[in-house]
Coordinates of all heavy atoms in Angstrom, one line a residue:
L1373 N 178.5 159.7 63.5 CA 180.0 159.7 63.3 C 180.3 160.0 62.0 O 181.4 160.7 61.7 CB 180.4 158.3 63.7 CG 182.0 158.1 63.5 CD1 182.8 158.9 64.5 CD2 182.2 156.4 63.7
C1374 N 179.6 159.6 61.0 CA 179.9 159.9 59.6 C 179.7 161.4 59.2 O 180.5 162.1 58.6 CB 179.0 159.1 58.7 SG 179.3 159.4 56.9
G1375 N 178.5 161.9 59.7 CA 178.2 163.2 59.5 C 177.8 163.5 58.1 O 177.8 162.7 57.2
A1376 N 177.3 164.7 57.8 CA 176.9 165.1 56.5 C 176.9 166.6 56.4 O 176.6 167.4 57.4 CB 175.5 164.7 56.3
S1377 N 177.2 167.2 55.3 CA 177.2 168.6 55.1 C 175.8 169.1 54.9 O 175.4 170.2 55.2 CB 177.9 169.0 53.8 OG 179.3 168.6 53.8
H1378 N 174.8 168.2 54.5 CA 173.4 168.4 54.3 C 172.7 167.1 54.2 O 173.3 166.1 53.9 CB 173.2 169.4 53.1 CG 173.6 168.9 51.9 ND1 174.9 168.8 51.4 CD2 172.8 168.3 50.8 CE1 175.0 168.3 50.2 NE2 173.7 167.9 49.8
L1379 N 171.4 167.2 54.4 CA 170.6 166.1 54.1 C 169.7 166.5 52.9 O 169.1 167.5 52.8 CB 169.7 165.7 55.3 CG 170.3 165.2 56.5 CD1 169.2 164.9 57.6 CD2 171.1 164.0 56.3
L1380 N 169.7 165.6 51.9 CA 168.9 165.8 50.7 C 167.7 165.0 50.8 O 167.7 163.8 50.5 CB 169.7 165.4 49.4 CG 169.1 165.7 48.1 CD1 168.7 167.1 47.9 CD2 170.0 165.3 46.9
L1381 N 166.6 165.6 51.2 CA 165.4 164.9 51.5 C 164.3 164.9 50.3 O 164.0 166.0 49.9 CB 164.7 165.7 52.8 CG 163.4 165.1 53.3 CD1 163.6 163.8 53.9 CD2 162.9 166.1 54.4
R1382 N 164.0 163.8 49.9 CA 162.9 163.7 48.9 C 161.6 163.5 49.5 O 161.4 162.6 50.3 CB 163.2 162.4 47.9 CG 162.1 162.4 46.9 CD 162.6 161.4 45.8 NE 163.7 161.9 45.0 CZ 164.1 161.3 43.8 NH1 163.5 160.2 43.4 NH2 165.2 161.8 43.2
V1383 N 160.6 164.4 49.1 CA 159.3 164.4 49.7 C 158.2 164.3 48.6 O 158.5 164.9 47.6 CB 159.1 165.5 50.7 CG1 159.9 165.5 52.0 CG2 159.3 166.8 50.0
E1384 N 157.2 163.6 48.9 CA 156.0 163.6 48.0 C 154.8 163.4 48.7 O 154.8 163.5 50.0 CB 156.2 162.4 47.0 CG 156.5 161.1 47.7 CD 156.8 160.0 46.6 OE1 155.9 159.7 45.8 OE2 158.0 159.4 46.7
S1385 N 153.6 163.3 48.1 CA 152.4 163.3 48.7 C 152.2 162.2 49.7 O 151.5 162.4 50.8 CB 151.2 163.3 47.8 OG 151.3 162.2 47.0
A1386 N 152.9 161.0 49.5 CA 152.7 159.9 50.4 C 153.7 159.9 51.5 O 153.7 159.0 52.4 CB 152.9 158.6 49.5
T1387 N 154.6 160.8 51.6 CA 155.6 160.9 52.7 C 154.9 161.2 54.0 O 154.1 162.1 54.1 CB 156.6 162.1 52.4 OG1 157.2 161.8 51.2 CG2 157.7 162.1 53.5
S1388 N 155.2 160.4 54.9 CA 154.5 160.4 56.3 C 155.0 161.5 57.1 O 156.2 161.8 57.2 CB 154.6 159.0 57.0 OG 155.9 158.9 57.5
P1389 N 154.1 162.1 58.0 CA 154.6 163.1 59.0 C 155.6 162.5 60.0 O 156.6 163.0 60.4 CB 153.4 163.5 59.8 CG 152.2 163.2 58.7 CD 152.7 162.0 58.0
A1390 N 155.5 161.2 60.3 CA 156.4 160.5 61.2 C 157.8 160.4 60.7 O 158.8 160.7 61.4 CB 155.9 159.1 61.6
F1391 N 157.9 160.2 59.3 CA 159.3 160.2 58.7 C 159.8 161.6 58.7 O 161.1 161.8 59.0 CB 159.1 159.7 57.4 CG 160.4 160.0 56.5 CD1 161.6 159.2 56.8 CD2 160.3 160.9 55.4 CE1 162.7 159.5 55.9 CE2 161.5 161.1 54.7 CZ 162.7 160.4 55.0
L1392 N 159.0 162.6 58.4 CA 159.5 163.9 58.4 C 160.0 164.4 59.7 O 161.1 165.0 59.9 CB 158.5 164.9 57.9 CG 158.0 164.8 56.4 CD1 156.9 165.7 56.1 CD2 159.2 165.0 55.4
A1393 N 159.4 163.9 60.8 CA 159.8 164.3 62.2 C 161.1 163.7 62.4 O 162.1 164.2 63.1 CB 158.8 163.8 63.2
K1394 N 161.3 162.4 62.0 CA 162.6 161.7 62.3 C 163.7 162.3 61.5 O 164.9 162.4 61.9 CB 162.4 160.3 61.8 CG 161.6 159.4 62.8 CD 161.5 158.0 62.4 CE 160.6 157.1 63.3 NZ 160.4 155.7 62.9
A1395 N 163.4 162.8 60.2 CA 164.4 163.4 59.4 C 164.9 164.7 60.0 O 166.0 165.1 60.0 CB 163.8 163.7 58.0
A1396 N 163.9 165.5 60.7 CA 164.2 166.7 61.4 C 165.1 166.4 62.6 O 166.0 167.2 62.9 CB 162.9 167.4 61.8
T1397 N 164.9 165.3 63.2 CA 165.7 165.0 64.4 C 167.0 164.7 64.0 O 168.1 165.0 64.7 CB 165.0 163.8 65.1 OG1 163.7 164.1 65.6 CG2 165.8 163.4 66.3
L1398 N 167.3 163.9 62.9 CA 168.5 163.6 62.4 C 169.3 164.8 62.0 O 170.5 165.0 62.3 CB 168.4 162.6 61.2 CG 169.7 162.2 60.5 CD1 170.7 161.5 61.5 CD2 169.6 161.3 59.3
A1399 N 168.6 165.7 61.3 CA 169.3 167.0 60.8 C 169.8 167.8 62.0 O 170.8 168.3 62.0 CB 168.3 167.8 60.0
S1400 N 169.0 167.8 63.1 CA 169.4 168.5 64.3 C 170.6 167.8 64.9 O 171.6 168.6 65.3 CB 168.2 168.6 65.3 OG 168.6 169.2 66.4
A1401 N 170.6 166.5 65.0 CA 171.7 165.8 65.6 C 173.0 165.9 64.8 O 174.0 166.0 65.4 CB 171.3 164.3 65.7
L1402 N 172.9 166.1 63.5 CA 174.1 166.3 62.6 C 174.5 167.7 62.5 O 175.5 168.0 61.9 CB 173.8 165.6 61.3 CG 173.5 164.1 61.2 CD1 173.3 163.7 59.8 CD2 174.7 163.3 61.7
A1403 N 173.6 168.6 62.9 CA 173.8 170.1 62.7 C 173.9 170.3 61.2 O 174.8 171.0 60.6 CB 175.0 170.6 63.4
A1404 N 173.0 169.5 60.4 CA 173.1 169.6 58.9 C 171.8 170.2 58.3 O 170.7 169.8 58.8 CB 173.3 168.2 58.4
P1405 N 171.9 171.3 57.6 CA 170.6 171.8 57.0 C 170.1 170.8 56.0 O 170.7 169.8 55.6 CB 171.2 173.0 56.1 CG 172.7 172.7 55.9 CD 173.1 171.8 57.0
I1406 N 168.7 171.0 55.7 CA 167.9 170.2 54.8 C 167.8 170.8 53.5 O 167.3 172.0 53.4 CB 166.7 169.7 55.5 CG1 166.9 168.8 56.6 CG2 165.7 169.1 54.4 CD1 165.7 168.3 57.4
D1407 N 168.1 170.2 52.4 CA 167.7 170.5 51.1 C 166.7 169.5 50.7 O 166.6 168.3 51.1 CB 168.8 170.4 50.1 CG 170.0 171.4 50.4 OD1 169.8 172.3 51.2 OD2 171.0 171.3 49.8
T1408 N 165.7 169.9 49.8 CA 164.6 169.1 49.5 C 164.3 168.8 48.0 O 164.6 169.8 47.3 CB 163.2 169.6 50.1 OG1 163.0 171.0 49.7 CG2 163.2 169.6 51.6

């Protein structure tokens, strides 16, 4: 409902694949590109 122009995603060596998959799902739902 809030929406976003973009997601600003911070990633590092410890970032889990499960979190990245959820971030991709959220970006798709918001139709928001990802900046990293």
